Amino acid sequence: MTICAVRRFNATYVQIAAATVYSPIISPKRHEDQKLKKETVKRKNTSAIALGGICLALTLIFIFTGSIIPGIELTLFAISSLFVAVMIIESGVSAGAILYAAAVILGLVLVPNKLAMIPYAFFFGYYGIVKFFIEKLKNGIIQIVIKAVFFAFLLCISLLGFKELLLGSIRLPDCPTVILIIAGILIMLVYDYIYTLLINFYLKRIKNRGADNMKLS
């Protein structure tokens, strides 16, 4: 056997010996890491479910209250829409969509005034999801334009189609529909701005993550 062959044999033997000696040490560590990861995922899933239950309960409370108190129903529906944003921040868009769907379904079952569910289901409930995707665009002006077009589309449907169902006890001034739509777009842009401020408040004060911009995303 040559010297090189002996060296190769010795190196191989050392590697095998090292693997034999250290494998009982490394394997438990890897097993422990995997167990820790599983426990972390489980805790996150449990926290997401618990948060979803809380957000769903609060959403239904605001919807129910808005259905029985005339005059401030749209304000309460607007507040109820914030919980979808919380779920998006904490668990992703799919969690926000699930919360919206669950709120609509349970609202139709639990809220006595079924017509009161229309504003939430038609606009407020899913606006956090729409806002999330729009604000993925980098250009702020484009974001505003898209939001304005989206608001105009909804206003056209609501004012020309089923105004009484969406506005409830709110009485609009006797103005041309075009003026009402323009005014509505401005009001909804203000709503969007307040929505963003509340999201930033949640990020900075409640979740303590900080916020460098005015985006849900």
Side-chain angles (χ1 to χ4, degrees):
M1 183 179 294
T2 63
I3 295 177
C4 291
V6 171
R7 288 179 178 175
R8 284 197 297 270
F9 175 79
N10 290 337
T12 303
Y13 177 79
V14 170
Q15 290 175 357
I16 295 173
T20 304
V21 173
Y22 289 107
S23 59
I25 300 175
I26 296 174
S27 296
K29 186 176 184 305
R30 289 179 179 175
H31 178 70
E32 187 177 331
D33 290 341
Q34 292 176 353
K35 185 178 179 181
L36 182 61
K37 288 180 180 179
K38 290 181 180 178
E39 290 177 353
T40 301
V41 172
K42 186 177 180 180
R43 282 198 301 269
K44 287 182 178 180
N45 292 336
T46 303
S47 299
I49 293 172
L51 179 62
I54 294 172
C55 288
L56 178 58
L58 292 172
T59 300
L60 292 174
I61 288 172
F62 279 104
I63 293 175
F64 183 86
T65 306
S67 69
I68 61 176
I69 300 180
I72 61 170
E73 58 265 40
L74 293 183
T75 300
L76 294 174
F77 292 149
I79 295 173
S80 70
S81 68
L82 294 170
F83 300 108
V84 168
V86 172
M87 287 305 298
I88 292 175
I89 292 170
E90 297 293 346
S91 302
V93 180
S94 59
I98 292 172
L99 174 61
Y100 164 69
V104 172
I105 294 172
L106 289 178
L108 290 173
V109 174
L110 300 176
V111 176
N113 183 8
K114 309 304 180 185
L115 295 179
M117 287 300 302
I118 294 179
Y120 180 84
F122 184 73
F123 171 69
F124 291 105
Y126 64 84
Y127 181 66
I129 301 172
V130 174
K131 181 178 174 66
F132 173 82
F133 285 109
I134 292 177
E135 291 181 354
K136 281 184 170 295
L137 301 173
K138 300 300 182 181
N139 192 309
I141 296 177
I142 295 178
Q143 291 180 20
I144 295 174
V145 171
I146 294 176
K147 289 175 183 178
V149 172
F150 174 71
F151 294 150
F153 173 75
L154 291 181
L155 286 167
C156 287
I157 294 176
S158 61
L159 293 178
L160 299 177
F162 39 99
K163 177 172 63 176
E164 296 297 329
L165 294 179
L166 286 176
L167 298 180
S169 62
I170 297 175
R171 293 293 175 263
L172 296 177
D174 188 14
C175 297
T177 303
V178 175
I179 301 298
L180 293 177
I181 291 175
I182 294 174
I185 291 173
L186 295 177
I187 292 172
M188 287 183 171
L189 288 175
V190 172
Y191 158 73
D192 174 76
Y193 179 72
I194 296 174
Y195 197 113
T196 303
L197 292 179
L198 292 174
I199 290 168
N200 281 348
F201 175 80
Y202 175 81
L203 289 170
K204 188 175 182 181
R205 299 295 182 183
I206 299 177
K207 191 174 176 60
N208 196 27
R209 282 174 48 180
D212 298 327
N213 50 49
M214 306 298 288
K215 296 181 179 181
L216 175 59
S217 56

